[in-house]
Amino acid sequence: MSVSEEVTLEIPPQLKSRMEDDCFWIIRRKKLVKLPKKPSVETLLLDYYTHCAAAANEETNLPLLAEVLDGVKIYFDFMLRDHLLYEQEREQYDRLLGSLQLRAQDQVQAQQKLKQDPPPHQENDVTDTPLVQEEDSGSGGHDGVASPKAEMPSSVYGIEHLLRLFVKLPLFLSKAQLPSGQVNLLHTHFKEFLSYVNSKTQEILSEDNYVDVAT
């Protein structure tokens, strides 16, 4: 059985409905997500890691969780421009991050993070396993665009675009030739992350996060 068949991610119904809204607001209502998004993908992944660390026990492998989330972050940065944007969003991306040169080895790095053997258990202290740095708390976007100091997509975009990655992750990971045991681990981590995001839907997904496209 192929990896793409094994890693089938079931998006929770509430998140799936919000993704449909996202498509409607962008395609039909000609809106864009106001950027930089708060929380960003980077911050959301860090918040989830911190949440897991706070509830960790001796069976919790925080180093492995950090590697998985780092891999998701790198995949997002590399895949966003060409795979996760609607056509209507690409001008916004180019105005914000058009000079950013993401390299092919970034994708290889992400695959290696997800493919390597789980690291051994360590002391369950969030400071022992740093994931990402907090983003700068700049002002909100204008016409869907602001000028944040951060340069990577994961520091600028938010959950709306990260959910699109999770829809496509099975296809992306099918090219990584992961062993079945690691496929099962990834499936568990992804499922738990989506459950965490689903619990925060009202906080992080709203039409208020969208602005009209500048004309």
Side-chain angles (χ1 to χ4, degrees), residues 117-215:
D117 292 333
H121 293 312
Q122 296 181 3
E123 191 73 21
N124 289 333
D125 183 348
V126 67
T127 60
D128 289 342
T129 327
L131 179 61
V132 289
Q133 297 295 319
E134 283 283 6
E135 62 188 286
D136 180 74
S137 55
S139 59
H142 173 67
D143 289 337
V145 175
S147 299
K149 294 179 181 179
E151 294 184 347
M152 298 304 289
S154 56
S155 299
V156 177
Y157 287 80
I159 186 59
E160 297 84 0
H161 296 82
L162 182 59
L163 287 175
R164 302 178 198 174
L165 174 65
F166 276 94
V167 170
K168 296 190 175 186
L169 263 178
L171 177 61
F172 294 155
L173 293 178
S174 68
K175 301 178 181 179
Q177 299 180 344
L178 301 177
S180 60
Q182 289 172 351
V183 166
N184 293 334
L185 279 174
L186 289 174
H187 179 271
T188 298
H189 281 296
F190 295 159
K191 181 179 179 180
E192 291 175 352
F193 176 76
L194 289 173
S195 177
Y196 170 81
V197 171
N198 190 52
S199 71
K200 295 184 172 295
T201 300
Q202 300 300 324
E203 301 173 36
I204 60 179
L205 284 165
S206 168
E207 187 174 3
D208 294 339
N209 296 322
Y210 294 77
V211 294
D212 294 328
V213 175
T215 56

Side-chain angles (χ1 to χ4, degrees), residues 74-75 78-79 103-112 172:
I74 295 170
Y75 258 108
F78 186 82
M79 296 294 184
R103 303 161 300 172
Q105 55 260 44
D106 293 331
Q107 183 182 11
V108 174
Q109 182 183 359
Q111 291 175 344
Q112 289 173 341
F172 294 155

Side-chain angles (χ1 to χ4, degrees), residues 41-145:
V41 167
E42 184 178 70
T43 297
L44 188 59
L45 293 173
L46 177 60
D47 287 348
Y48 175 65
Y49 178 84
T50 304
H51 165 80
C52 291
N57 55 44
E58 70 243 7
E59 296 182 357
T60 305
N61 191 336
L62 290 178
L64 173 60
L65 175 62
E67 292 291 345
V68 170
L69 297 179
D70 279 338
V72 170
K73 178 177 176 289
I74 295 170
Y75 258 108
F76 182 84
D77 287 333
F78 186 82
M79 296 294 184
L80 177 67
R81 174 63 174 83
D82 294 330
H83 298 279
L84 305 179
L85 296 180
Y86 293 111
E87 184 66 32
Q88 293 86 340
E89 297 176 298
R90 289 183 176 172
E91 180 181 350
Q92 181 192 38
Y93 176 96
D94 290 339
R95 280 187 282 163
L96 273 170
L97 300 167
S99 62
L100 183 64
Q101 297 295 321
L102 293 173
R103 303 161 300 172
Q105 55 260 44
D106 293 331
Q107 183 182 11
V108 174
Q109 182 183 359
Q111 291 175 344
Q112 289 173 341
K113 280 182 175 291
L114 297 178
K115 194 173 183 179
Q116 66 188 8
D117 292 333
H121 293 312
Q122 296 181 3
E123 191 73 21
N124 289 333
D125 183 348
V126 67
T127 60
D128 289 342
T129 327
L131 179 61
V132 289
Q133 297 295 319
E134 283 283 6
E135 62 188 286
D136 180 74
S137 55
S139 59
H142 173 67
D143 289 337
V145 175

